[in-house]
Amino acid sequence: MTAQSRTFHEAAADRYFEAWNARGAEARAKAVAAAWTEDGSYTDPLADVAGHEGVAAVIGAAHEQFPGFFFRPLGAVDGHHGIARFGWELVSEADGSAPVAGFDVVVLDEDGRIRSVHGFLDRVPAGV
């Protein structure tokens, strides 16, 4: 993989995490618009949405369910062509615990904006 393509995929993942960590509706909407295409989608075992409003709603719901938590990458971003994959975990600001972890495969457009996310949950607390 060339350094240029690696930067392309890492930059997309950075925007993805900025969106997931944005606090407040206005900041979240701006970050989602920067990371996703207009018709971009997000699908995991608990959600299947499309468009900026749908993606922002899923992110907002995660913050409501886990207040005081943030998303951080696990390991390096791997990518080729317009596809990237990376692991992540949801971490408590209070004690550093990470009750939720997963892995995402992201399809990007030529500008590095997300067309679709296919998420997998590897670690989820009971009752979620």
Side-chain angles (χ1 to χ4, degrees):
M1 178 184 311
T2 66
Q4 185 178 19
S5 66
R6 184 164 168 71
T7 300
F8 173 80
H9 296 100
E10 288 177 341
D14 288 347
R15 287 188 299 276
Y16 175 86
F17 284 106
E18 286 172 18
W20 276 96
N21 288 320
R23 304 289 170 107
E26 187 174 325
R28 188 174 305 118
K30 184 177 178 180
V32 166
W36 269 264
T37 61
E38 290 285 332
D39 61 347
S41 64
Y42 177 87
T43 304
D44 72 15
L46 305 173
D48 186 9
V49 298
H52 291 170
E53 288 183 17
V55 172
V58 166
I59 294 170
H63 284 280
E64 287 177 19
Q65 186 172 6
F66 294 96
F69 282 74
F70 67 96
F71 289 86
R72 73 174 171 205
L74 273 178
V77 176
D78 186 23
H80 63 82
H81 298 85
I83 303 170
R85 65 178 180 162
F86 48 85
W88 54 266
E89 61 185 354
L90 185 60
V91 182
S92 169
E93 294 171 352
D95 64 12
S97 65
V100 183
F103 188 89
D104 292 344
V105 176
V106 180
V107 178
L108 305 170
D109 73 2
E110 59 279 353
D111 296 323
R113 291 175 70 207
I114 298 169
R115 290 182 193 266
S116 62
V117 175
H118 306 279
F120 298 85
L121 301 175
D122 299 325
R123 183 173 60 237
V124 181
V128 173

